[in-house]
Amino acid sequence: MSNNITNKIEANDRSISDVLDKKKYTIDYFQREYKWQQKHVVELLSDLETAFLNNYKDDDEDDAVENYNSYYLGPVVFSAAGSSKSIIDGQQRITTITLFLIYLNHLQRDKDEDDKVDISNLIYSTKHRKKSFNMIDKNRESCLESLLKDGEYTPKDDEDETVHNLVNRYNDIKEYFPEDLKAKPLPFFIDWLIEKVVIVEIIAYSEDNAYTIFETMNDRGLSLSATEMLKGFILSKVSNIDDRTKVNDLWKIQIQKLNNDIGKDEDLRFFQSWLRGKYAETIRQGKVGSTNEDFEKIGTRFHTWVKDSQRKIGISASKQFYDFVSIDFKFYSDLYHKIYNAKWHFNEDLPYLFYVNRYPIANSLFDPLLFAPIQKDDTTEVIDQKLNMVARYVETFVVSRLINFKSVSQSGIRYTMYVLVKEIRNKTVSELGEILKSKIEDFDYTLESGISNFRLHGMNYKFVKYLLCRITGYFEQQVGLDSSFKKFFHPTGKRYEVEHIWADKFEQHQDEFEQLHEFNEIRNRLGDLVLLPNGTNQSYNDMPYEQKYKHYIKENALVQSLHPKFYENNPNFLNNGVLQQMNFKPYTSYKKNDIAERQNLYLEICQEIWNTDYFTNTIEL
């Protein structure tokens, strides 16, 4: 290769179809692992949904997509130095788009041929009857093959981080993909995704140039971010040079803390959460063709929104801009750190933030709610009260919906959550409690309405485990054990798994069931499920209950409560007035009606865990 070609760097805008159609890429060694988290997938889905619905109309003809606006996904760097093209920077996004395409392929399977968009060549290509994926990585092949064929995959213990993340993020896509896009708009959305979602393809023809571009993009960035543009606007409004220097120095310190202590681009998520929580007034109506309002504009171009909304924010004079940074920005960015730490590291003062984050709704919905009631002159104790109350409300909302098999996808609940942001903004503790209690009591879906038929199925294992961890942790605390939700959800030793009390032996239960599907339906009910350490149940999993329950006395307290000996000489249980009101009892045999009894017991525990009196019993500090 000549020096002219070796030193050449190309940059062109490309559609997803241009980049992936019948293409093959290796993944460079310093880009090996796929590390995206749930929040990244949820945010990208939300952005894509918003951008698409800004264009789509119900009466659009098939070719209308040609005139839709594009969505910019960012730059991707490729190296063409070797025999095959490799991805230097951007494989996180390309991998996620591939997972989107696999899921969209499944969504199309039952549709008429005329309504399908052929996207198979963007996922894989076939040569000599052998299928291979667009990114060449042997570690991923079995996982992607299974996701493409069946829509699911169980990682093996020895498989790497990438495979586990691929499965988790694919499941996130299934769970959070907007319901509004699954029906009539689906082929339009797919056409738009592959034709109008655009990347800038940067191709380097030498390894040195490829790495230099990678380093530059990740260390210094290619263009001003929304945060930097907002800073520039605010500094231009602070007339005193000394004040401007102070604001600039403070800004840099706070932004570095956000991005260094929490993660890349966390400053963007902070501004979106803060501005939505404290200032946004309007939201796009949930119908096709509606225009973006405050909440959406803050999500896409918050720097422009601030410039256009100075009166709404209350900033016009130089001193107000100075205070906006030195007081407001400082206070709320520190609050964002507090919220983040409590989400990821269990804090006895803020437990509900940790609980919700284990089975979260999108942060773009959750975080503005947390910001909304907090005022700058609130004490630390009042801030903690308000954060706990909002997080407990969100947890109750999520549990009530999921236990009734209802979605918590962003598209389905965004309007409800954004309206609530305005209702609780700047409220006192007592006002906040009254509002949240009233909202819960008006839920369409309650614990009582859903739990009698609630069961484990292929899509809700994570939630079932979450629910059992909350129930088990609560019960152990009530009987005086040093226990918590975290002990079961994130143990330091063996992992806990959801296990059935009944063995998967239909023949052992034919006195109560004639059909296998009836047996399976009852066996998967919540009342037949417990938490056991991984591997513990395997040694006696196939035993009939009459033999198995004798081993339960060695397990956690909730499992022990199936055994008669648990009720002997256990003063913490016998003296607990709350537990004595519940239908606890031992079982030496376990029949269909016993599962129903146990299921009702779990409901009683859930009613205590999410008792709405919490909101009005909270003391105003």
Side-chain angles (χ1 to χ4, degrees), residues 437-448:
K437 181 176 181 179
S438 175
K439 292 289 183 183
I440 293 171
E441 291 173 346
D442 289 340
F443 281 173
D444 292 332
Y445 308 110
T446 65
L447 298 173
E448 294 85 345

Side-chain angles (χ1 to χ4, degrees), residues 196-302:
K196 293 293 184 175
V197 172
V198 175
I199 70 165
V200 172
E201 178 189 55
I202 302 172
I203 303 175
Y205 289 85
S206 74
E207 291 289 349
D208 287 344
N209 279 348
Y211 184 76
T212 299
I213 296 170
F214 170 82
E215 188 177 42
T216 300
M217 290 176 63
N218 284 278
D219 285 350
R220 296 189 291 277
L222 289 177
S223 59
L224 290 178
S225 68
T227 298
E228 291 165 325
M229 285 187 277
L230 177 60
K231 183 181 79 168
F233 167 69
I234 290 175
L235 289 179
S236 72
K237 297 295 184 179
V238 179
S239 56
N240 182 278
I241 294 177
D242 290 338
D243 286 347
R244 191 184 304 162
T245 300
K246 291 177 184 177
V247 165
N248 185 46
D249 291 343
L250 173 63
W251 187 283
K252 287 192 293 186
I253 291 170
Q254 295 299 108
I255 295 300
Q256 285 175 356
K257 284 168 60 179
L258 287 168
N259 291 332
N260 293 342
D261 297 351
I262 300 179
K264 183 180 179 183
D265 296 332
E266 208 64 41
D267 57 314
L268 305 180
R269 284 180 275 276
F270 157 69
F271 279 111
Q272 291 163 351
S273 300
W274 172 34
L275 297 174
R276 281 170 166 165
K278 300 307 297 181
Y279 302 110
E281 293 293 339
T282 56
I283 181 174
R284 189 187 73 227
Q285 296 300 305
K287 57 186 179 181
V288 172
S290 300
T291 58
N292 283 345
E293 299 293 348
D294 286 349
F295 280 97
E296 293 76 32
K297 291 175 181 176
I298 291 171
T300 54
R301 294 176 62 83
F302 60 77

Side-chain angles (χ1 to χ4, degrees), residues 277-278 332 367-376 378 382-383 386-387 390 421 424-429 432 436:
K278 300 307 297 181
Y332 286 106
D367 287 351
L369 280 172
L370 293 171
F371 274 91
I374 309 299
Q375 300 189 72
K376 299 189 296 292
D378 284 343
V382 167
I383 290 171
K386 290 180 177 180
L387 292 176
V390 172
V421 165
I424 66 174
R425 185 174 289 155
N426 300 328
K427 293 294 189 271
T428 65
V429 168
L432 179 63
L436 296 179

